[in-house]
Amino acid sequence: MIFLGGGASLEFCMIPYNFLIKKAAYLNTGVWAKKAMKEAKLFGEVVEVASSADANYTFIPKGWTVPADVDYLHITTNNTIYGTEIRKDLDVNVPLIADMSSDIFSRPIDVKKYDAIYAGAQKNLAMAGVTIVIVKDEKLGKAPREIPTMLDYRTHVDKGSMFNTPPVVPIYSALETLRWIKKNGGVEAMDKLAQQRAEIVYGEIDRNKMFKGTAVAEDRSLMNICFVMADEYKELEKDFLDFAVSKGMVGVKGHRSVGGFRASCYNAQTIEGCNALVACMKEFEAQH
Amino acid sequence: MIFLGGGASLEFCMIPYNFLIKKAAYLNTGVWAKKAMKEAKLFGEVVEVASSADANYTFIPKGWTVPADVDYLHITTNNTIYGTEIRKDLDVNVPLIADMSSDIFSRPIDVKKYDAIYAGAQKNLAMAGVTIVIVKDEKLGKAPREIPTMLDYRTHVDKGSMFNTPPVVPIYSALETLRWIKKNGGVEAMDKLAQQRAEIVYGEIDRNKMFKGTAVAEDRSLMNICFVMADEYKELEKDFLDFAVSKGMVGVKGHRSVGGFRASCYNAQTIEGCNALVACMKEFEAQH
């Protein structure tokens, strides 16, 4: 595991810089996946194995196949804007690389299944300013190009993340968060909590006739719970937003490309927080 | 001005990525300059206008000329390991780009003279994890290559440093430091203090027969004061180091490629700190 500065978006180009020899496959599940694909195209051929763009990314595409001759398949495990998530470690016939920026440490993962995992830290791990990358060392150094020193994962592996002065305070905050996760039962406990939170909030979304979820049920993210007003209550969107804010809800406005609301339920979110949102939805329902 | 993560070493490749069209000139004043040159060579022809490598970088080369057809001249204004510094804004016949990582905000600079200035923050500005780049917008977008989005300065200029989640806490610490600098009289006052500190420490180095400075007098850095034992006291190096440490001096060991001692005198260093080092040198002298 190495620690980098620069943000997960820098990995969008570092991954192909280091791993793309000729052709790479990408699963297009949202804006982050698209950005990653865009950068990969500078380095070789990119195959989009499947996309749910036509349905505004409301589901994770299924039933796709990966060409056997690609150097890797890239997936984005959680899609913050659309509220979808790949919560199982996929079995694929090619090396697997995953952007886990927004759901790493929310469940156990089978690290062996991935040639590379990267994650910006600012959801479940640390303050913004550090990215973690887990990489199979033996897969590095195969790409047919000269890589600038700072963009070569080998530099950071060889120097123990200290080729340059690392972002010390963000890394320290990661250490403290990892201690907190461990003390609270590890990723298994984080997973259980995530499921409890999701049951509370999705439960209310499904019960309350004024609201509806945006993602298909089987692909619902446990990290970002996205919902909108039901069609017959559409004109009340702003009213509910104001009401929620007045009840102390912070950051519940959905991304502009989806609209509605987003309840972000990262590891730090409490059951009490979820119950408060549900109480707020019930009270709004009673008023109308 | 834009704020980036990734460290100043990332700029070593971003500068040529964005500015090198065909040929660039570099002034080789030490290990940081050399690293910057190495990355530039991936993008075009690199001309070393001068070097003091043969003298272990104990001086800033003079009397060199820059080919008129280079895209820019790159300089490193302060050389932390060798204790040399370019403390004047140079007048050159080509666009000037400067790595000011270790002396920015220690003196007034004529920003107009530079097409780009970059600096890792962790000396005079902020905690590690943020780099500032000052760039002439109109000089961007001329390099004949596709630049990965995160490595293109235009991305960060256009998005006000918020294309990705920026390193918020390191940037906040920069704000607080800039407020502190302003409150204490601005860069003019920092410059005056730097000169006072340097007079105190270099004064003692020149007076005390047991020590000698490593850099030639006219190129001495005000940020990193490097000195060694005089030839006849060479065997006392470890003794002095132990003595200084016992007196509370921290980090006075010189870089292994120079040996001896290094008194880092960034903005946060106090006159009292410098006086304490001098007292320590005098006491050691009295003992021998």
Side-chain angles (χ1 to χ4, degrees), chain A residues 128-146:
Chain A
V130 57
T131 310
I132 61 166
V133 182
I134 302 167
V135 67
K136 283 189 182 153
D137 299 6
E138 71 271 20
K139 295 296 186 86
L140 298 173
K142 311 234 187 282
R145 63 183 66 86
E146 288 193 285

Side-chain angles (χ1 to χ4, degrees), chain A residues 39-286:
Chain A
E39 304 309 312
K41 285 175 184 165
L42 296 178
F43 299 91
E45 191 187 338
V46 170
V47 180
E48 184 183 81
V49 293
S51 168
S52 50
D54 288 348
N56 203 25
Y57 298 115
T58 46
F59 64 92
I60 303 286
K62 312 280 175 340
W64 37 268
T65 53
V66 188
D69 63 342
V70 298
D71 302 311
Y72 61 84
L73 168 69
H74 178 282
I75 61 171
T76 312
T77 54
N78 185 64
N79 302 284
T80 53
I81 294 175
Y82 314 98
T84 63
E85 189 176 8
I86 301 171
R87 280 187 59 79
K88 267 186 15 187
D89 301 308
L90 299 183
D91 289 297
V92 288
N93 52 327
V94 299
L96 185 59
I97 293 180
D99 173 3
M100 295 194 180
S101 292
S102 54
D103 66 352
I104 197 163
F105 298 117
S106 73
R107 64 172 180 91
I109 50 174
D110 188 356
V111 177
K112 289 189 309 298
K113 285 195 172 174
Y114 301 85
D115 274 25
I117 294 169
Y118 64 93
Q122 65 266 20
K123 307 301 187 192
N124 282 331
L125 183 59
M127 60 174 69
V130 57
T131 310
I132 61 166
V133 182
I134 302 167
V135 67
K136 283 189 182 153
D137 299 6
E138 71 271 20
K139 295 296 186 86
L140 298 173
K142 311 234 187 282
R145 63 183 66 86
E146 288 193 285
I147 307 175
T149 309
M150 277 293 283
L151 301 177
D152 190 332
Y153 287 126
R154 287 174 298 183
T155 302
H156 306 285
V157 170
D158 292 349
K159 299 285 184 181
S161 304
M162 286 184 291
F163 172 74
N164 63 320
T165 306
V168 184
V169 173
I171 290 174
Y172 183 74
S173 79
L175 173 66
E176 287 290 296
T177 308
L178 290 172
R179 283 175 171 155
W180 176 87
I181 291 174
K182 203 168 179 180
K183 202 182 79 184
N184 285 282
V187 283
E188 290 80 7
M190 295 299 123
D191 189 18
K192 218 176 125 190
L193 265 171
Q195 295 189 37
Q196 286 173 357
R197 287 190 304 255
E199 266 168 44
I200 293 169
V201 181
Y202 283 123
E204 176 62 15
I205 291 168
D206 291 341
R207 186 206 63 76
N208 192 321
K209 299 270 181 298
M210 297 189 75
F211 302 97
K212 63 173 183 183
T214 51
V216 304
E218 67 193 25
D219 296 326
R220 281 171 165 178
S221 167
L222 303 199
M223 298 290 104
N224 310 98
I225 300 180
C226 296
F227 58 107
V228 292
M229 301 307 298
D231 293 342
E232 55 271 45
Y233 297 101
K234 272 228 161 336
E235 76 285 359
L236 292 176
E237 179 169 315
K238 195 179 171 308
D239 289 358
F240 177 70
L241 196 63
D242 293 344
F243 183 72
V245 170
S246 78
K247 293 285 176 182
M249 304 294 123
V250 172
V252 284
K253 196 173 179 354
H255 190 274
R256 64 180 180 283
S257 65
V258 176
F261 319 103
R262 174 165 57 175
S264 283
C265 293
Y266 299 116
N267 284 351
Q269 183 59 277
T270 58
I271 297 291
E272 293 71 33
C274 295
N275 283 334
L277 175 62
V278 166
C280 181
M281 291 164 77
K282 283 186 197 296
E283 197 177 332
F284 192 75
E285 179 190 31

Side-chain angles (χ1 to χ4, degrees), chain A residues 5-10 13 17 32 35 38-39 41-43 122-123 127-129 146-151 163-170, chain B residues 5-10 13 17 32 35 38-39 41-43 122-123 127-129 146-151 163-170:
Chain A
S9 301
L10 187 61
C13 79
Y17 234 131
W32 306 114
K35 285 181 190 231
K38 179 181 168 225
E39 304 309 312
K41 285 175 184 165
L42 296 178
F43 299 91
Q122 65 266 20
K123 307 301 187 192
M127 60 174 69
E146 288 193 285
I147 307 175
T149 309
M150 277 293 283
L151 301 177
F163 172 74
N164 63 320
T165 306
V168 184
V169 173
Chain B
S9 301
L10 186 60
C13 79
Y17 235 131
W32 306 114
K35 285 181 191 232
K38 181 183 166 224
E39 304 308 313
K41 285 174 185 164
L42 296 178
F43 299 92
Q122 66 266 21
K123 307 301 187 192
M127 59 174 68
E146 288 193 285
I147 307 174
T149 309
M150 277 292 282
L151 301 176
F163 172 74
N164 63 320
T165 305
V168 183
V169 173

